Amino acid sequence: MVENIGMHTSSNIHVREFVEKYSALCQPDQVVRCDGSEEEKQRLTQEAVTKGILTPLNAEKLPGCYYHRSNPNDVARVEQCTFICTPGPEEAGPTNNWADPREMTTKLHAMLEGSMRGRTMYVVPYLMGPAGSPLTKVGIEITDSIYVVLNMRIMARMGRVALDQLGTSDDFNRGIHSTLDCNPDRRFICHFPQTNTIISVGSGYGGNVLLGKKCLALRIGSWLGEHQGWMAEHMLILCVESPEGEKTYVAAAFPSACGKTNFAMMIAPDAFAGWKITTVGDDIAWLWPDANGQLRAINPENGYFGVAPGTNFASNPNAMRTIERDTIYTNVALLPDGDVWWEGKDGPPPANATDWQGRPWTPESKEKAAHPNSRFTAPMLNNPSLASEAGDAAGVPISAIIFGGRRATTMPLVFQAFNWTHGVYLGATMGSEMTAAAAGTVGQVRRDPMAMLPFCGYHMADYFNHWLSIRRKLIDPPRIFHVNWFRKNAAGEYLWPGFGENFRVLKWIVDRCRGRGKARETQVGWMPRYSEFDWRGLDFTREQWDELNKFDRAEWQRELLWQDELLLKLHDRLPKELIFQRELLISRL
Ligand code: SAT
Ligand code: MN
C-alpha cells in the first residue's frame, strides 16, 4: 500500500497521472510530494542526517551547511552513458549517443520496475527561470534520492511556485530518476525531446540527476529552442557597471570547470575603483531575440553547483562568502572540527582531514583530499555580488558573447570576431582541454563547440545553423569574442595572472561594444595592442604581452586540422557560412 505525504495530491490531472504511472512501476513504500516550504526543508534535512546521507557541518563556521560523499564510482557526468532518444539517429547527430526511444524506454522501465521498493519516491515540481518569464519552464522530477531533492531545492525554484505556474496545463518536463544500485553498468541518462521526458538511472551525482540543470535547461532546452526560436546555452551572464553607472551585460561560454563561476563573480582590481561586476548566472543562459531585435537572456537557475578545488579568497571571494551558509558540500575533505577543505583553499593544508572517500588524510598523503570535481551547491541569494536583475522575468540585454577554452598553446588572450558569422565560427571550432567535470582523459584538447559538446540535444550542425538564423532576428547583434586565460610558456607556467585581472579583458570587451576600444586587425580577428589595454595597478611588460599573444603559424595550421576533425563529422549538414569562414581563415593565414 502506497502512503501519500504532502499537501497537494496535485490538482493537475497530468501531474497526477504521471506520478501514478511511475509509482505503480517503481513501487516505492511511500510518495512524498514536495511543496518547497521551509518546514519541508527542515524535515527532509533531518531525515537525510538520520540516514547518514548528510553530515551537519560546524554550525558556527558554516551555519546551515551539510556534507555529502557520493559513491566513489559516481563523481562526475558520464558522457558515454548519456543518450538522446529521437526517432532517428540523424536528429541526435554524430556528437551524441543515440538510442531508439521505444527500445530505450522498454529497457529503462525494466530497470525501474520495483526499483523503489523499501524507498521513498519524492515528487519535485520546479521552475527553470523566474516565475512569469516568457521562457520559464516547469519540470516535475520524480526521484528516490533525498540528496537530489535538497539540491534541486537550491538549484531551482521548487515546490508550490511551479504548480501554480503550471495550472492545469500538460506542458511540463517529465523527469524520472532512480539511483538503482549506483552501478556504472546500469547507468543511463536519457533524453526524449519529442515527449519532453528525461529518465536517469544508476547515478546520484550532479549533472546526471539534478534533471533541471544539464538535462532540461541544456539538452531538452536546446532542442526546444531550435523549434521555438530561442537558444539554451552553457553560459554565465554578468553585468559590468562603470563608475558612471553604465551597465553592460555579457554572456560567456566556457566548458565545465574552466572558470565560469569565477568569471561571473569577479571583482575588479583595486585600481579600478567604482567598477562593479554583478552576477546574473554562472552556468546556463536562455537567450531570445525580443520584439525590438535585441538579444535578451535569463538565468534559468536559482543556485550555483560550483567546483570547490581552487576556490579561495584570492580566486573568488564572492564564492567564498556565498558558500558560508546553507550550502551542501559534495566530495570535499572533512576536518575534525566540522569544517571543510579542498586543494587550493586559503591557508596551509590541515594537519589531519578525512578525504572525500572517508579515509584519513594528512599533507603527506599521495592522493588528493578533495575530489577534483568536488562541488558546492549554494543558493544564488547568498552571492554578495548578485545582480539586482538576476530574477527579472524580462531578462537582460546582451551586448557581448565570449567563447573561451583551456588552451596551453596557440590561442591569444583575447580577440574579437569580425562579425556574427565569424563569431559563430569561433564558437563552433572552439577547443579546450578536458577537465574532471566529466569522466575522461583530463588535459587532452578536444573540440567543444560553444562549450556545448556534452549538452547539445540535437544535431550539432543544425545547432550551428540555428545560431546563424538567430542573427536574422537581431537588429544590433552582440559582439563576439574569444578568450584564453590558460596559455603557458615552455616551462609550463601560466602567462596570464587570470582571476580578477581578467577584468582588464572584460573592460576592453565592454569598450569595444560601446564603440570606444581600439584594436588592430589580425589574421584571426580584432586584437588589442599592448597600449590599448588598461594596465593601471598591474606590472605586465610588453615582452610578457607579446609572448601571451604570440602568433605561431605552425600551431595555427595544426589547429585548423583539428577543427577539420569535427567539421568533417558534421560535413553533410554543415552551414556553408562556416565552410566559407574556414576558407577565409586559411587565406588569411
Ligand atoms: O555535474 S554538472 O554537469 O552539473 C557540472 C558541469 O559539468 O558543468
Ligand atoms: Mn556547466
Side-chain angles (χ1 to χ4, degrees):
M1 178 60 196
V2 176
E3 189 188 341
N4 282 307
I5 299 175
M7 299 201 317
H8 39 78
T9 40
S10 173
S11 57
N12 181 309
I13 182 161
H14 312 287
V15 174
R16 223 162 51 213
E17 279 173 7
F18 168 57
V19 173
E20 274 161 18
K21 172 174 167 184
Y22 281 95
S23 62
L25 181 66
C26 303
Q27 299 160 35
D29 283 8
Q30 57 172 357
V31 178
V32 172
R33 291 169 170 80
C34 298
D35 60 19
S37 65
E38 193 55 38
E39 178 279 319
E40 175 183 88
K41 177 190 169 185
Q42 302 303 337
R43 178 166 47 83
L44 296 182
T45 303
Q46 195 43 54
E47 193 181 325
V49 170
T50 309
K51 290 189 172 145
I53 295 162
L54 292 182
T55 306
L57 291 169
N58 186 312
E60 257 149 57
K61 289 186 174 173
L62 297 166
C65 294
Y66 293 85
Y67 177 70
H68 174 77
R69 277 190 197 109
S70 76
N71 189 315
N73 78 29
D74 188 30
V75 294
R77 280 183 291 103
V78 272
E79 293 173 8
Q80 67 276 18
C81 308
T82 303
F83 288 82
I84 304 295
C85 306
T86 42
E90 61 292 337
E91 290 155 78
T95 59
N96 280 312
N97 300 311
W98 174 82
D100 178 82
R102 237 181 277 154
E103 282 170 27
M104 188 51 107
T105 305
T106 305
K107 176 159 138 179
L108 294 170
H109 280 188
M111 291 184 190
L112 285 170
E113 194 176 343
S115 67
M116 298 188 190
R117 266 181 229 146
R119 297 182 190 183
T120 299
M121 172 189 272
Y122 300 92
V123 181
V124 182
Y126 64 94
L127 283 183
M128 295 311 283
S133 175
L135 291 191
T136 293
K137 301 280 174 283
V138 178
I140 309 278
E141 176 168 354
I142 284 174
T143 176
D144 58 6
S145 160
I146 200 167
Y147 168 81
V148 167
V149 180
L150 291 166
N151 276 269
M152 283 295 284
R153 197 181 189 284
I154 298 173
M155 295 307 297
R157 293 163 176 90
M158 194 261 253
R160 262 263 83 97
V161 61
L163 293 173
D164 288 348
Q165 168 134 352
L166 185 63
T168 57
S169 168
D170 188 20
D171 184 16
F172 62 94
N173 178 271
R174 288 155 167 78
I176 302 102
H177 165 247
S178 177
T179 318
L180 305 183
D181 53 352
C182 202
N183 175 350
D185 295 333
R186 307 205 312 144
R187 186 167 293 160
F188 293 92
I189 299 95
C190 299
H191 306 71
F192 304 85
Q194 271 75 11
T195 55
N196 198 5
T197 299
I198 302 158
I199 304 182
S200 167
V201 295
S203 169
Y205 191 82
N208 298 331
V209 297
L210 308 177
L211 299 185
K213 192 173 178 61
K214 305 299 181 173
C215 300
L216 172 53
L218 288 178
R219 297 197 191 94
I220 299 271
S222 61
W223 189 92
L224 287 171
E226 200 220 10
H227 287 73
Q228 301 170 353
W230 54 279
M231 314 204 286
E233 299 297 332
H234 194 200
M235 289 178 178
L236 66 93
I237 309 166
L238 59 76
C239 173
V240 186
E241 189 173 343
S242 75
E244 296 75 38
E246 175 196 77
K247 288 183 166 187
T248 307
Y249 300 91
V250 175
F254 313 149
S256 301
C258 288
K260 281 195 296 302
T261 306
N262 291 343
F263 194 64
M265 297 185 181
M266 179 196 336
I267 295 177
D270 289 342
F272 293 85
W275 287 87
K276 214 166 85 192
I277 288 108
T278 55
T279 317
V280 178
D282 83 323
D283 193 40
I284 298 175
W286 283 353
L287 307 107
W288 74 101
D290 72 10
N292 301 318
Q294 167 71 53
L295 192 66
R296 305 191 73 85
I298 55 165
N299 165 21
E301 299 191 280
N302 203 31
Y304 309 118
F305 187 64
V307 178
T311 306
N312 57 53
F313 276 99
S315 66
N316 194 340
N318 282 322
M320 292 303 285
R321 283 186 206 110
T322 302
I323 62 183
E324 273 166 359
R325 59 203 151 85
D326 301 321
T327 295
I328 299 173
Y329 289 91
T330 303
N331 291 343
V332 299
L334 191 58
L335 298 183
D337 68 345
D339 199 352
V340 286
W341 190 79
W342 49 79
E343 278 71 18
K345 204 179 177 196
D346 300 273
N352 285 293
T354 309
D355 79 2
W356 68 277
Q357 297 190 64
R359 305 171 303 192
W361 185 94
T362 67
E364 284 72 48
S365 299
K366 288 201 181 54
E367 288 183 58
K368 292 203 179 343
H371 187 276
N373 193 37
S374 53
R375 298 269 172 166
F376 52 78
T377 321
M380 177 165 99
L381 285 172
N382 280 6
N383 179 0
S385 69
L386 184 68
S388 56
E389 304 87 336
D392 278 4
V396 296
I398 298 295
S399 297
I401 291 175
I402 307 177
F403 294 118
R406 195 180 270 273
R407 296 298 302 273
T409 68
T410 322
M411 290 297 163
L413 180 64
V414 57
F415 59 99
Q416 182 185 350
F418 295 120
N419 52 42
W420 179 271
T421 311
H422 182 225
V424 173
Y425 176 79
L426 295 182
T429 54
M430 220 171 99
S432 191
E433 292 165 19
M434 286 188 68
T435 68
T441 318
V442 172
Q444 194 181 318
V445 174
R446 70 166 179 183
R447 293 298 118 189
D448 189 351
M450 279 90 167
M452 282 288 278
L453 182 72
F455 307 120
C456 181
Y458 61 105
H459 198 297
M460 191 60 89
D462 294 346
Y463 168 75
F464 296 158
N465 248 315
H466 185 50
W467 263 84
L468 293 169
S469 77
I470 289 288
R471 166 70 185 92
R472 295 191 272 280
K473 299 191 191 129
L474 299 173
I475 289 173
D476 185 20
R479 312 295 185 264
I480 300 183
F481 299 82
H482 188 286
V483 300
N484 176 28
W485 321 132
F486 301 97
R487 197 161 183 180
K488 290 179 178 170
N489 62 17
E493 297 151 343
Y494 287 113
L495 292 168
W496 176 247
F499 303 110
E501 301 302 339
N502 292 337
F503 175 74
R504 293 168 203 278
V505 178
L506 192 55
K507 182 165 179 294
W508 180 77
I509 287 174
V510 168
D511 285 341
R512 289 294 292 168
C513 296
R514 297 281 175 185
R516 295 188 293 247
K518 295 217 179 72
R520 75 190 166 92
E521 189 182 322
T522 73
Q523 298 97 319
V524 297
W526 293 101
M527 281 177 71
R529 292 185 180 84
Y530 179 70
S531 61
E532 285 152 2
F533 238 55
D534 196 330
W535 293 114
R536 66 180 109 156
L538 179 68
D539 189 15
F540 198 80
T541 65
R542 187 179 286 272
E543 289 66 41
Q544 285 175 289
W545 175 259
D546 289 343
E547 192 180 6
L548 176 65
N549 291 299
K550 195 173 80 177
F551 175 81
D552 184 317
R553 189 174 305 276
E555 281 178 5
W556 271 93
Q557 278 163 358
R558 195 160 354 116
E559 180 71 19
L560 264 165
L561 293 177
W562 266 347
Q563 295 182 0
D564 284 350
E565 274 175 35
L566 177 77
L567 299 182
L568 281 174
K569 255 198 208 171
L570 303 172
H571 78 280
D572 58 336
R573 293 210 198 188
L574 204 61
K576 61 181 182 317
E577 287 91 332
L578 297 191
I579 298 167
F580 295 155
Q581 284 297 329
R582 181 181 172 280
E583 291 299 313
L584 287 171
L585 175 60
I586 291 173
S587 59
R588 289 196 302 267
L589 292 178

